[in-house]
Amino acid sequence: MESGRPKDVGILAIDIYFPPSCVQQEALEAHDGASKGKYTIGLGQDCMAFCTEVEDVISMSLTVVTSLLKKYQIDPKQIGRLEVGSETVIDKSKSIKTWIMQIFEEYGNTDVEGVDSTNACYGGTAALFNCVNWVESSSWDGRYGLVVCTDSAVYAEGPARPTGGAAAIAMLIGPNAPFAFESKYRGTHMSHVYDFYKPNLASEYPVVDGKLSQTCYLMALDACYNLYCSKFEKFEGKQFSISDSDYFVFHSPYNKLVQKSFARLYFNDFLRNTSAVEKDAKEKLEPFSNLIGDESYQSRDLEKVSQQVAKTLYDAKVQPSTLLPKQLGNMYTASLYAAFASVIHNKHKTLVGQRIVMFSYGSGLTSTMFSFKLQEGQHPFSLPNIASILNVSEKLERRHVVPPEKFVETLKLMEHRYGAKDFETSRDTSLLTPGTFYLMKVDSMYRRHYARKDA
Ligand code: ACO
């Protein structure tokens, strides 16, 4: 890198907000008449967060940005770029970013580049890359970048409904970051597919080809991993294997797919003949070495055997990332970064010097594998401080579990509210923590009005 250019650009700080209401997957399973264990063991999910009528992607963004700035004592004038990733469309023209500008305008800062990025669950990664690229570019003015990933994932009644979720994440971007990008090792795979899309603008629900979306995800993972490995090998002069990363963090629609994903990386390492795969695992995988193309994605036996031989490494390298996605569900753009936050929460004491590989997937499809190298970070951006500000355990504990009937009732109400005008919400903030933003009304001109619960 040229001297004078910023070094170790990456994530300096992170905060997460999720709605206080959640439904337990075990209860939902029984309510939906699904077979016992389908959502909990089959999909691997524990709980699902959802927005009630007083919250949405805009209010969650306002809440998380305000919280991050306050907790890290960042002057809003110090933000020079704000990028939002979201696939929850509230307005086809006005970006969510412009809503968040209210926070900066109050401090006289309107000199903030960036708008929203949208492509299914990938928008947050696009937003993150935009901010990192800006800090690394000649147009950087020395200020911080800020990334917001915000989504409310809701599905129509049916098999996809338990794979919803909701959250907003804010990430501060700058040089000398504890999570420094290894920008040279990115592997990207993008393609045209109809696996999950939202063509009906009158509904918040997507159209989903569930099985196709699973296969597309795994094919994209293989493509990105192979590109990532070859870029690593080109720059490092040695073969990359799963042993070279301490953690693997995946976009997490539901935990079972994450288990399958890591097993898939293990199978790739077997095919690439890396040292990460031990002798007895090689013998077990050998019968599958000739499966080509689609066959290898459809083989249930391969899936089972590779998950089994990868299990010990999964527990060490992936399990620490699964806490928030299992508890909150798929948060679309925020899902990958909630998994990343889970690693910080679980492992902040031992992360220095380690590597985290990330896999971002957005249906349609867009996908990238990239990685961070971890450093100590200077106060207030030290790993223990970031973990303490995330405050994951306390945030999870203070959630309010609601029965499935109430969850379904809320979704019904939201179906009517989506795209509607001229209504007031209940303004019931009893479950919200002080400082949380909430929706008060949508007026006759579709203008949305928010307030903040007294901090
Ligand atoms: N006990 C234990 N496991 C069970 C039980 C049970 N009683 N019943 C089913 N299972 C298992 C199944 O065997 C399967 O596991 P496997 O894949 O290891 O075999 C799992 O539970 C799910 O069961 P399926 O019958 O495959 O589920 P279904 O097809 O009804 O729905 C799906 C799953 C397709 C993921 C659906 O929830 C969906 O469409 N979700 C949205 C799309 C999605 O998230 N795609 C992922 C990438 S795209 C994105 O991020 C949006």
Side-chain angles (χ1 to χ4, degrees), residues 25-39 157-158 404-405:
Q25 293 283 4
E26 200 178 344
L28 190 61
E29 200 174 76
H31 172 270
D32 292 352
S35 57
K36 190 165 170 49
K38 181 173 177 188
Y39 299 173
E157 228 172 275
E405 293 74 15

Side-chain angles (χ1 to χ4, degrees), residues 29 34-44 87 120-121 155 158-164 195-196 206 208-217 251-254 256-257 259-260 300 303 307 330 332 335 361-363:
E29 200 174 76
S35 57
K36 190 165 170 49
K38 181 173 177 188
Y39 299 173
T40 47
I41 300 162
L43 295 174
E87 60 161 290
C121 309
Y155 289 91
R161 182 155 274 183
T163 61
D195 61 333
F196 163 114
V208 199
D209 185 337
K211 296 290 172 215
L212 179 64
S213 74
Q214 292 165 325
T215 309
C216 287
Y217 181 111
H251 165 55
S252 179
Y254 50 92
K256 178 61 82 60
L257 192 55
Q259 295 172 34
K260 291 183 186 180
R300 304 286 293 165
E303 217 171 68
Q307 278 185 68
N330 189 0
Y332 289 159
S335 174
Y361 177 83
S363 292

Side-chain angles (χ1 to χ4, degrees), residues 383-410:
L383 295 170
N385 197 43
I386 296 170
S388 128
I389 284 175
L390 274 169
N391 198 13
V392 167
S393 304
E394 203 185 303
K395 283 179 186 165
L396 286 175
E397 268 161 34
R398 63 174 180 238
R399 285 178 307 165
H400 181 76
V401 176
V402 303
E405 293 74 15
K406 183 99 180 78
F407 163 68
V408 172
E409 201 181 290
T410 305

Side-chain angles (χ1 to χ4, degrees), residues 271-291:
L271 294 175
R272 297 168 57 243
N273 199 19
T274 75
S275 56
V277 181
E278 291 184 353
K279 194 164 163 278
D280 61 330
K282 271 187 191 151
E283 281 164 13
K284 288 187 177 136
L285 291 170
E286 199 51 55
F288 307 101
S289 57
N290 293 323
L291 290 183

Side-chain angles (χ1 to χ4, degrees), residues 344-361:
I344 302 172
H345 166 71
N346 283 315
K347 296 288 172 185
H348 62 272
K349 291 194 181 119
T350 51
L351 285 177
V352 173
Q354 298 195 321
R355 170 178 288 132
I356 299 182
V357 167
M358 311 274 286
F359 175 64
S360 181
Y361 177 83

